[in-house]
Amino acid sequence: MANSDPVRVGILFSTTGVISTIEKSQLMGTLFAIEEINESGGINGREIEPIHYDPQSSPGLYRVLAERLILKDKINVIFGCYKSSTRKAVIPIIEKWNRLLFYPTLYEGFECSSNIIYTGAAPNQNSVPLAEFMMANYGARVYMVGSDYIYPYESNRIMTDLVLQRPGGEKVAERYVALDASEADYKDIVADIKNCQPDFIFSTVVGNSTSCFYRAYAEAGLNSREMPIASLTTLEAELAQMGADVGQGHISSAPYFQSIDSPANTACLSSFRKRFGSDFAVNAGWEAAYFQVHLFANAMRLSESDAIDQLMPNLLGQEYEAPQGRIKVDPSNHHTCLYPRIGIANSEGQFTIVRQAMRAVHPDPYLVTHSLGDWTKALNTVI
Ligand code: ACM
């Protein structure tokens, strides 16, 4: 008789703590995909049953809860993690027990675990396009502000490398704040920015503190017309938190923006809103969290098993019609072919897309070919 038991999967996204706003949206993307799959017959008739724990934004708890999912709940597949420090905390556990993690977040690259499918952007799919765009339009003197952990350190290293390729390129400063930094904690930095007058700011601030930085920036009289903040981590969720007026004119790079004007994205958003309402600011982390569950379900329909060794051959090379466009898991490095885009925050708290790739760009997590010119070959300038 066919197996009709539910397929239990683990979910590790925080609903409390410093990273909760963005991870709640990733949780919603995950639950949305699970609902869609279950409503259309599950995986060969088997429902997906999510087991979600709240790791409270703490890397140590991600590690503990990943092991609990594996050992106590007998889970083979986990969806989760925003911050790189939490992914790094989980890796030894999933590698030790040979389980699979789907990671739906942009990150700093320079990693390739056989136990992970990476569905967020690698640096050649967001840092390189952003550097190219900012230097072409504003100049090459950059002031870096980031949260104090691995993703900002590494992402700033990459941005420095890109900026210094340009004549006149200069890292004006590199400053870090605590993950729970308040508006007052940015006062000195903002005063220094005013004094140094860089061409643009590169923000690797993440999570709920992002709104504090942008507010402190606006309150000091600095504005996006003269000195925009460029970021990979300030997306629609963060704009909603800071208010559209505060974010307006600042620039982000991501493979997905809510404002993508395509039938696939419009249909997906409308279906999501019908089920979950309009409270969640859909963003690139949400979209990757959504489509990676479909990648998993499609792979398991073929393998009939959620054991990593049986799933993986059906995941590597798999293509999927995602809201951003047709994506593909690169079989050589477990990352995903995605569509780099540049957006400028507008008065509605959305991004006006000003550049987008005409075809999916292969992930290059080790930046083997990271000359600035590579990306523009795939570019379509929208305005
Ligand atoms: C990140 O920590 N990967 C944003």
Side-chain angles (χ1 to χ4, degrees), residues 67 94 103-104 187 196 209 241 262 271:
E67 196 145 44
I94 55 157
Y103 177 61
K187 275 230 160 87
C196 294
S209 176
Q241 217 168 18
S262 71
S271 168

Side-chain angles (χ1 to χ4, degrees), residues 140-160:
R141 294 179 62 250
V142 58
Y143 193 112
M144 301 176 176
V145 183
S147 301
D148 194 2
Y149 78 104
I150 184 169
Y151 158 73
Y153 310 151
E154 291 300 305
S155 196
N156 281 335
R157 183 181 61 71
I158 292 164
M159 184 57 77
T160 304

